[in-house]
PDB file of all heavy atoms in Angstrom:
ATOM      1  N   PHE A 179     253.647 -26.083 281.752  1.00  0.00           N
ATOM      2  CA  PHE A 179     254.381 -25.278 280.789  1.00  0.00           C
ATOM      3  C   PHE A 179     255.876 -25.516 280.937  1.00  0.00           C
ATOM      4  O   PHE A 179     256.354 -26.061 281.944  1.00  0.00           O
ATOM      5  CB  PHE A 179     254.047 -23.790 280.944  1.00  0.00           C
ATOM      6  CG  PHE A 179     254.353 -23.202 282.295  1.00  0.00           C
ATOM      7  CD1 PHE A 179     255.557 -22.555 282.547  1.00  0.00           C
ATOM      8  CD2 PHE A 179     253.424 -23.277 283.323  1.00  0.00           C
ATOM      9  CE1 PHE A 179     255.833 -22.006 283.789  1.00  0.00           C
ATOM     10  CE2 PHE A 179     253.683 -22.731 284.573  1.00  0.00           C
ATOM     11  CZ  PHE A 179     254.895 -22.093 284.805  1.00  0.00           C
ATOM     12  N   VAL A 180     256.611 -25.124 279.904  1.00  0.00           N
ATOM     13  CA  VAL A 180     258.066 -25.215 279.872  1.00  0.00           C
ATOM     14  C   VAL A 180     258.619 -23.859 280.271  1.00  0.00           C
ATOM     15  O   VAL A 180     258.222 -22.827 279.717  1.00  0.00           O
ATOM     16  CB  VAL A 180     258.563 -25.587 278.465  1.00  0.00           C
ATOM     17  CG1 VAL A 180     260.080 -25.750 278.455  1.00  0.00           C
ATOM     18  CG2 VAL A 180     257.879 -26.850 277.971  1.00  0.00           C
ATOM     19  N   LEU A 181     259.535 -23.841 281.232  1.00  0.00           N
ATOM     20  CA  LEU A 181     260.126 -22.597 281.720  1.00  0.00           C
ATOM     21  C   LEU A 181     261.635 -22.632 281.545  1.00  0.00           C
ATOM     22  O   LEU A 181     262.306 -23.553 282.024  1.00  0.00           O
ATOM     23  CB  LEU A 181     259.769 -22.383 283.190  1.00  0.00           C
ATOM     24  CG  LEU A 181     260.423 -21.169 283.881  1.00  0.00           C
ATOM     25  CD1 LEU A 181     259.995 -19.866 283.215  1.00  0.00           C
ATOM     26  CD2 LEU A 181     260.079 -21.145 285.362  1.00  0.00           C
ATOM     27  N   LEU A 182     262.161 -21.635 280.869  1.00  0.00           N
ATOM     28  CA  LEU A 182     263.606 -21.460 280.739  1.00  0.00           C
ATOM     29  C   LEU A 182     264.045 -20.385 281.715  1.00  0.00           C
ATOM     30  O   LEU A 182     263.447 -19.303 281.769  1.00  0.00           O
ATOM     31  CB  LEU A 182     263.960 -21.048 279.311  1.00  0.00           C
ATOM     32  CG  LEU A 182     265.451 -20.818 279.009  1.00  0.00           C
ATOM     33  CD1 LEU A 182     266.235 -22.115 279.142  1.00  0.00           C
ATOM     34  CD2 LEU A 182     265.626 -20.223 277.612  1.00  0.00           C
ATOM     35  N   SER A 183     265.085 -20.673 282.497  1.00  0.00           N
ATOM     36  CA  SER A 183     265.549 -19.716 283.501  1.00  0.00           C
ATOM     37  C   SER A 183     267.063 -19.853 283.661  1.00  0.00           C
ATOM     38  O   SER A 183     267.701 -20.686 283.020  1.00  0.00           O
ATOM     39  CB  SER A 183     264.837 -19.935 284.836  1.00  0.00           C
ATOM     40  OG  SER A 183     265.052 -21.251 285.319  1.00  0.00           O
ATOM     41  N   TYR A 184     267.601 -19.019 284.548  1.00  0.00           N
ATOM     42  CA  TYR A 184     269.046 -19.026 284.782  1.00  0.00           C
ATOM     43  C   TYR A 184     269.331 -19.023 286.274  1.00  0.00           C
ATOM     44  O   TYR A 184     268.685 -18.297 287.045  1.00  0.00           O
ATOM     45  CB  TYR A 184     269.701 -17.811 284.123  1.00  0.00           C
ATOM     46  CG  TYR A 184     271.169 -17.662 284.457  1.00  0.00           C
ATOM     47  CD1 TYR A 184     272.090 -18.604 284.017  1.00  0.00           C
ATOM     48  CD2 TYR A 184     271.630 -16.603 285.251  1.00  0.00           C
ATOM     49  CE1 TYR A 184     273.436 -18.501 284.342  1.00  0.00           C
ATOM     50  CE2 TYR A 184     272.976 -16.492 285.569  1.00  0.00           C
ATOM     51  CZ  TYR A 184     273.873 -17.438 285.118  1.00  0.00           C
ATOM     52  OH  TYR A 184     275.206 -17.338 285.448  1.00  0.00           O
ATOM     53  N   SER A 185     270.291 -19.845 286.701  1.00  0.00           N
ATOM     54  CA  SER A 185     270.736 -19.871 288.085  1.00  0.00           C
ATOM     55  C   SER A 185     272.114 -19.233 288.167  1.00  0.00           C
ATOM     56  O   SER A 185     273.093 -19.807 287.659  1.00  0.00           O
ATOM     57  CB  SER A 185     270.791 -21.308 288.621  1.00  0.00           C
ATOM     58  OG  SER A 185     271.431 -21.342 289.881  1.00  0.00           O
ATOM     59  N   SER A 186     272.189 -18.050 288.786  1.00  0.00           N
ATOM     60  CA  SER A 186     273.487 -17.393 288.937  1.00  0.00           C
ATOM     61  C   SER A 186     274.332 -18.064 290.020  1.00  0.00           C
ATOM     62  O   SER A 186     275.561 -17.950 290.002  1.00  0.00           O
ATOM     63  CB  SER A 186     273.288 -15.909 289.280  1.00  0.00           C
ATOM     64  OG  SER A 186     272.584 -15.762 290.495  1.00  0.00           O
ATOM     65  N   VAL A 187     273.685 -18.770 290.943  1.00  0.00           N
ATOM     66  CA  VAL A 187     274.416 -19.480 291.997  1.00  0.00           C
ATOM     67  C   VAL A 187     275.163 -20.664 291.410  1.00  0.00           C
ATOM     68  O   VAL A 187     276.356 -20.876 291.666  1.00  0.00           O
ATOM     69  CB  VAL A 187     273.458 -19.932 293.109  1.00  0.00           C
ATOM     70  CG1 VAL A 187     274.193 -20.787 294.135  1.00  0.00           C
ATOM     71  CG2 VAL A 187     272.803 -18.727 293.776  1.00  0.00           C
ATOM     72  N   ASN A 188     274.453 -21.436 290.584  1.00  0.00           N
ATOM     73  CA  ASN A 188     275.055 -22.635 289.996  1.00  0.00           C
ATOM     74  C   ASN A 188     275.620 -22.387 288.612  1.00  0.00           C
ATOM     75  O   ASN A 188     276.224 -23.297 288.033  1.00  0.00           O
ATOM     76  CB  ASN A 188     274.012 -23.749 289.929  1.00  0.00           C
ATOM     77  CG  ASN A 188     273.480 -24.137 291.291  1.00  0.00           C
ATOM     78  OD1 ASN A 188     274.241 -24.248 292.246  1.00  0.00           O
ATOM     79  ND2 ASN A 188     272.173 -24.330 291.384  1.00  0.00           N
ATOM     80  N   ARG A 189     275.390 -21.185 288.073  1.00  0.00           N
ATOM     81  CA  ARG A 189     275.855 -20.815 286.735  1.00  0.00           C
ATOM     82  C   ARG A 189     275.371 -21.823 285.695  1.00  0.00           C
ATOM     83  O   ARG A 189     276.149 -22.392 284.917  1.00  0.00           O
ATOM     84  CB  ARG A 189     277.378 -20.687 286.712  1.00  0.00           C
ATOM     85  CG  ARG A 189     277.916 -19.626 287.675  1.00  0.00           C
ATOM     86  CD  ARG A 189     279.425 -19.561 287.641  1.00  0.00           C
ATOM     87  NE  ARG A 189     279.919 -19.114 286.342  1.00  0.00           N
ATOM     88  CZ  ARG A 189     279.998 -17.840 285.946  1.00  0.00           C
ATOM     89  NH1 ARG A 189     279.613 -16.872 286.750  1.00  0.00           N
ATOM     90  NH2 ARG A 189     280.467 -17.539 284.756  1.00  0.00           N
ATOM     91  N   THR A 190     274.043 -22.018 285.709  1.00  0.00           N
ATOM     92  CA  THR A 190     273.441 -22.987 284.796  1.00  0.00           C
ATOM     93  C   THR A 190     272.220 -22.390 284.094  1.00  0.00           C
ATOM     94  O   THR A 190     271.476 -21.590 284.669  1.00  0.00           O
ATOM     95  CB  THR A 190     272.994 -24.261 285.534  1.00  0.00           C
ATOM     96  OG1 THR A 190     272.146 -23.903 286.643  1.00  0.00           O
ATOM     97  CG2 THR A 190     274.186 -25.049 286.045  1.00  0.00           C
TER      98      THR A 190
END
Side-chain angles (χ1 to χ4, degrees):
F179 59 94
V180 183
L181 175 62
L182 180 65
S183 59
Y184 173 66
S185 170
S186 61
V187 174
N188 299 318
R189 300 179 65 82
T190 53

